[in-house]
């Protein structure tokens, strides 16, 4: 690739030692630490989520300009309903507003939007905003941006099993591929890299089927402080690892 055809993010990546030919195709992110970020500043938790939204806009752009093909983010987990009512309502509203406000820019930037999760359980206006985004951008050929909303990895597997049974598949015919083909977005490749912010070393029920061979990268930075440099550090660390997929690598 000639220098002139590189985006500023790619130029920075190359300077850091990233090989643009070996990028992770799919990056998944657990955006943790919004609440702690806000608390440290004496702010309400929702302001942390709002700042997290700003961060996400930047990271989507950076990931796209770097050449990442799929970015999946955990916006609201199936477990997040246990939070205080006002925080749940605020998060729902924030995701809805974001989905509406960002749609035009995402479409212009050739972003294809997908969703993952039990959308039948979220407020109808949010469901509509998300599905409008999916419909409007379905023909786009740039980065695929998947919003996991009311998402749980175990719930996804349960839903897959239900649909296999409903299709009348015989137990003896079920393979790993059968289950993979019934996940929410079966055409999306498994994540190569899972990033988690705010230091926690957990999977938190995110993409648990798809992450069997995924590299995990944890940074201490809370999500509102995650930026282009952090993303590039995660990719560089990923490239320094040896992925073995259970085999022996000399
Ligand atoms: C975890 O931080 C974050 C969430 C539960 C929500 C993530 C949502 C956003 C980044 C808002 C914007 C999203 C979209 C799609 C517009 P936490 O509250 O668990 O942080 P804590 O562990 O410090 O309390």
């Amino acid at each position: 690739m000639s220098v002139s055809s590189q985006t500023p993010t790619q130029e920075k990546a190359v300077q850091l030692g990233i090989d643009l030919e070996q990028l992770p195709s799919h990056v998944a992110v657990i955006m943790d630490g919004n609440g702690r970020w806000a608390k440290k500043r004496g702010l309400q938790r929702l302001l942390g989520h709002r700042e997290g939204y700003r961060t996400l806009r930047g990271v989507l752009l950076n990931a796209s300009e770097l050449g990442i093909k799929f970015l999946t983010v955990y916006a609201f987990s199936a477990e997040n309903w246990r939070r205080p009512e006002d925080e749940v309502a605020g998060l729902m509203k924030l995701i809805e507003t974001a989905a509406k406000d960002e749609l035009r820019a995402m479409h212009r930037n050739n972003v294809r939007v997908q969703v993952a999760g039990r959308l039948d359980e979220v407020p109808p206006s949010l469901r509509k905003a998300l599905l409008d985004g999916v419909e409007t951008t379905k023909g786009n050929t740039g980065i695929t941006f998947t919003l996991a909303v009311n998402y749980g990895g175990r719930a996804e597997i349960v839903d897959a099993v239900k649909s296999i049974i409903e299709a009348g598949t015989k137990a003896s015919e079920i393979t790993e591929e059968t289950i993979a083909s019934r996940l929410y977005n079966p055409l999306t490749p498994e994540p190569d890299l899972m990033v988690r912010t705010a230091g926690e070393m957990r999977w938190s029920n995110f993409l648990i089927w798809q992450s069997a061979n995924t590299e995990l990268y944890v940074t201490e930075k809370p999500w509102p402080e995650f930026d282009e440099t952090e993303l590039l550090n995660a990719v560089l660390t990923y490239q320094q690892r040896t992925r073995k997929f259970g085999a022996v690598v000399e």
Side-chain angles (χ1 to χ4, degrees):
M1 194 181 285
S2 76
V3 172
S4 59
S5 69
Q6 288 178 353
T7 65
T9 305
Q10 287 174 329
E11 281 174 26
K12 193 168 164 185
V14 170
Q15 277 164 19
L16 282 171
I18 288 172
D19 178 353
L20 296 178
E21 305 298 324
Q22 304 289 333
L23 292 174
S25 170
H26 182 178
V27 177
V29 187
I30 301 178
M31 308 179 288
D32 199 10
N34 293 344
R36 275 165 280 175
W37 180 90
K39 192 172 173 206
K40 211 168 141 189
R41 287 160 181 76
L43 303 170
Q44 288 184 353
R45 294 176 55 80
L46 263 176
L47 287 173
H49 296 313
R50 221 165 278 169
E51 198 59 28
Y53 161 37
R54 267 168 44 94
T55 298
L56 180 55
R57 284 164 78 185
V59 169
L60 173 60
L61 196 68
N62 297 150
S64 168
E65 296 213 331
L66 180 59
I68 304 284
K69 300 280 182 250
F70 296 85
L71 179 72
T72 301
V73 301
Y74 212 177
F76 190 90
S77 80
E79 290 73 33
N80 286 151
W81 296 105
R82 296 179 195 143
R83 294 185 175 213
E85 219 173 292
D86 59 340
E87 184 172 346
V88 169
L91 268 170
M92 292 284 155
K93 200 73 225 157
L94 182 63
I95 298 169
E96 182 180 329
T97 306
K100 288 178 182 162
D101 288 358
E102 300 303 323
L103 182 55
R104 198 183 297 193
M106 287 195 290
H107 194 33
R108 197 177 50 237
N109 289 329
N110 202 18
V111 175
R112 185 168 69 115
V113 179
Q114 285 190 156
V115 287
R118 289 184 174 166
L119 289 197
D120 51 329
E121 295 168 357
V122 306
S125 55
L126 171 58
R127 183 165 61 242
K128 182 177 181 316
L130 292 170
L131 294 178
D132 280 352
V134 173
E135 181 60 26
T136 305
T137 63
K138 68 181 181 199
N140 289 348
T141 53
I143 191 169
T144 298
F145 173 55
T146 305
L147 267 170
V149 179
N150 191 24
Y151 175 87
R154 289 184 177 179
E156 181 177 29
I157 296 168
V158 169
D159 290 349
V161 170
K162 281 182 182 165
S163 85
I164 292 165
I165 292 171
E166 276 163 11
T169 312
K170 282 200 209 124
S172 60
E173 288 169 2
I174 296 175
T175 62
E176 291 186 9
E177 287 70 30
T178 319
I179 294 180
S181 73
R182 299 282 177 162
L183 298 174
Y184 295 138
N185 295 298
L187 299 181
T188 297
E190 295 178 358
D192 304 289
L193 171 64
M194 167 94 70
V195 173
R196 182 165 188 149
T197 56
E200 236 77 63
M201 302 277 185
R202 281 192 293 279
W203 243 264
S204 296
N205 202 16
F206 193 38
L207 303 174
I208 50 175
W209 176 277
Q210 299 90 328
S211 293
N213 291 300
T214 298
E215 294 292 328
L216 180 61
Y217 174 85
V218 177
T219 170
E220 289 300 321
K221 288 248 166 121
W223 176 248
E225 289 174 18
F226 196 87
D227 58 12
E228 183 187 52
T229 305
E230 285 287 320
L231 177 69
L232 295 178
N233 277 339
V235 170
L236 187 61
T237 305
Y238 163 83
Q239 289 191 342
Q240 287 161 349
R241 306 237 183 111
T242 308
R243 298 185 79 190
K244 298 195 290 191
F245 299 96
V248 174
V249 177
E250 296 300 335

